[in-house]
Amino acid sequence: MIEFLAALTDPSLPFFRYAVLTGIFASIPFGVIGTYVVVRRISYIAGAISHCILGGVGAGLYLQNALGISWFGPLHGAIVVALLASLILAVVSMYAKQREDSVIGALWSVGMAAGLLFIAKTPGYSDPMSYLFGNILLITRTDFYLVLALDVLVIGIIGFFYNTFLAICFDEEYAQLRGIRTHWLYLLLLCLVALTIVLLVRIVGIVMVIALLTLPAAIAGNFARNILQMMVLSTVFCILFVILGLGTSYSLDLPSGPVIILFAAAAYLLALLGLKAVGRK
């Protein structure tokens, strides 16, 4: 970790500081939204949204490099596609006759297929591996500011609708009887999940995004007494995993995304074993 601390203070490595700061600030909505994903049990829906993002990433690369639309990049495309996927899944869940799992599978595969086709037709070389498995070291100043803006949006909405979201997560029927428009709030929750996933993809990639979105919250759920405590603990765990993963990957010259996920998975396993051992006593 000495090398990690030295890199943070090295003036010739501004991208590394952006990576660390982005990981810390992104952990806040990850912990908050991840708590709702775990409590509401919508991990598969979040997985479909995350894999659809590759379609937006590919479209952004194509528009930027093939058509010269410089202001529309992969991150913008990911946001548009993630929100569109959230809308489709919410409408299917609330109104359509189709099986929800079939639509989830279709979005999951079509999004990735479209993304790979866009990347294949983009002039020059575009490596999909950094999007599939993450590379937080590619974070730029613009990306960092966009992360901050999305942080403010997510935290502001969650703070305003905190009690209402609790109602639709634990007793949606009761919320409907009280006159709460649960359908619209469910759509809003899915949109917040989508925006949070977009933040997370830059850190651990599309393939492993669900692990970091759910594992910190799952660990926190074993120790928290209420939802607010679960959010705070989940955020702290997420920050810890990101910093440990970045430090270890930098020292050992390993990809940062997989290392972060392994730390999260190891902590989850240790938490389960520890609770089981305590329970036996």
Side-chain angles (χ1 to χ4, degrees):
M1 296 296 289
I2 297 178
E3 296 178 358
F4 173 73
L5 295 175
L8 281 177
T9 57
D10 190 339
S12 65
L13 299 175
F15 67 91
F16 195 76
R17 285 187 290 275
Y18 284 135
V20 175
L21 288 174
T22 300
I24 292 173
F25 281 100
S27 295
I28 299 172
F30 298 162
V32 173
I33 298 299
T35 297
Y36 284 122
V37 169
V38 170
V39 171
R40 178 79 185 192
R41 298 182 179 180
I42 54 174
S43 298
Y44 285 112
I45 291 178
I49 295 172
S50 69
H51 284 74
C52 277
I53 284 176
L54 186 61
V57 168
L61 287 171
Y62 182 80
L63 292 174
Q64 196 172 61
N65 298 316
L67 302 183
I69 305 177
S70 58
W71 59 269
F72 192 89
L75 191 58
H76 303 90
I79 292 173
V80 171
V81 170
L83 292 176
L84 181 60
S86 300
L87 177 61
I88 293 172
L89 289 168
V91 170
V92 168
S93 175
M94 293 183 291
Y95 302 111
K97 302 292 184 180
Q98 300 293 326
R99 287 175 58 88
E100 188 176 7
D101 56 347
S102 300
V103 178
I104 289 174
L107 286 175
W108 194 303
S109 55
V110 170
M112 295 202 72
L116 291 173
L117 288 177
F118 273 121
I119 291 173
K121 298 302 292 183
T122 300
Y125 176 71
S126 298
D127 184 13
M129 298 295 286
S130 62
Y131 298 102
L132 291 173
F133 299 102
N135 191 345
I136 195 174
L137 297 180
L138 295 179
I139 290 288
T140 64
R141 178 182 294 182
T142 302
D143 293 333
F144 173 67
Y145 289 145
L146 187 55
V147 165
L148 290 181
L150 290 174
D151 277 5
V152 173
L153 177 65
V154 169
I155 295 172
I157 293 176
I158 289 296
F160 187 79
F161 292 104
Y162 176 76
N163 291 327
T164 312
F165 280 139
L166 285 183
I168 66 172
C169 283
F170 288 102
D171 198 341
E172 187 171 351
E173 292 183 3
Y174 176 74
Q176 289 177 338
L177 292 175
R178 293 293 301 271
I180 297 174
R181 304 180 69 178
T182 57
H183 290 345
W184 288 105
L185 286 169
Y186 180 61
L187 173 59
L188 178 60
L189 179 60
L190 286 186
C191 288
L192 292 178
V193 171
L195 293 177
T196 303
I197 288 173
V198 171
L199 298 181
L200 194 57
V201 161
R202 294 289 281 174
I203 299 176
V204 295
I206 291 170
V207 174
M208 296 177 288
V209 65
I210 297 305
L212 193 55
L213 187 64
T214 57
L215 286 177
I219 297 170
N222 293 316
F223 304 101
R225 296 182 178 180
N226 53 56
I227 289 294
L228 186 58
Q229 285 185 6
M230 188 173 173
M231 290 178 178
V232 173
L233 286 175
S234 180
T235 300
V236 172
F237 286 139
C238 196
I239 292 174
L240 181 63
F241 299 149
V242 169
I243 292 177
L244 287 175
L246 276 173
T248 303
S249 63
Y250 182 82
S251 301
L252 301 179
D253 193 23
L254 295 171
S256 57
V259 176
I260 293 171
I261 294 300
L262 287 177
F263 271 112
Y268 180 65
L269 180 60
L270 288 174
L272 290 181
L273 293 176
L275 290 171
K276 189 173 182 179
V278 171
R280 286 178 177 176
K281 293 179 181 179

